[in-house]
Amino acid sequence: MKIAIASSDNEEYVEHFGKAQKFIIYEFDGEKVEFIEIRNSPKVPGEKHQWGKSLNVIKDSDVIICMQIGINAKPALKKMDKTVVEDDGTIDEVLGRYIKHYKFMNKPLKF
């Protein structure tokens, strides 16, 4: 699966979906994570409702991780069959938490 993380300009912290200037793209096969690329998503300072620009950048991703997401963008992503995860912290922290949660939720039950 492809994971897109909304990022601030310095590519260290997770950003609001509609304000993200970049998306850090990873590939995750259920076991290991591989960095793929950084995609730019330029926004105009002061302009509102720019989340559509972000949609074009992450359209091939399965999971979107962002600090927050707006009331219009979230249903649009759901309609595109994207999993949206809202989390706060550094890129490494939120990616690590998502992977840990994914592995836990997909672990076979033992009886």
Side-chain angles (χ1 to χ4, degrees), residues 38-90:
I38 296 172
R39 296 182 186 169
N40 290 317
S41 181
K43 307 295 187 310
V44 178
E47 186 178 314
K48 294 185 177 191
H49 309 294
Q50 298 187 64
W51 58 271
K53 296 173 183 176
S54 296
L55 287 179
N56 294 328
V57 175
I58 54 84
K59 61 185 169 194
D60 65 335
S61 298
D62 306 295
V63 177
I64 315 306
I65 302 175
C66 53
M67 182 174 63
Q68 290 180 315
I69 187 165
I71 194 167
N72 294 321
K74 193 170 193 174
L77 285 170
K78 295 279 187 185
K79 194 178 241 184
M80 296 169 65
D81 291 324
K82 308 296 183 194
T83 299
V84 177
V85 177
E86 293 179 72
D87 197 357
D88 191 14
T90 67

Side-chain angles (χ1 to χ4, degrees), residues 3 5 26 33 65 90-99:
I3 301 171
I5 302 178
Y26 294 90
V33 180
I65 302 175
T90 67
I91 303 290
D92 290 340
E93 290 169 348
V94 299
L95 182 61
R97 283 192 291 264
Y98 177 77
I99 298 302

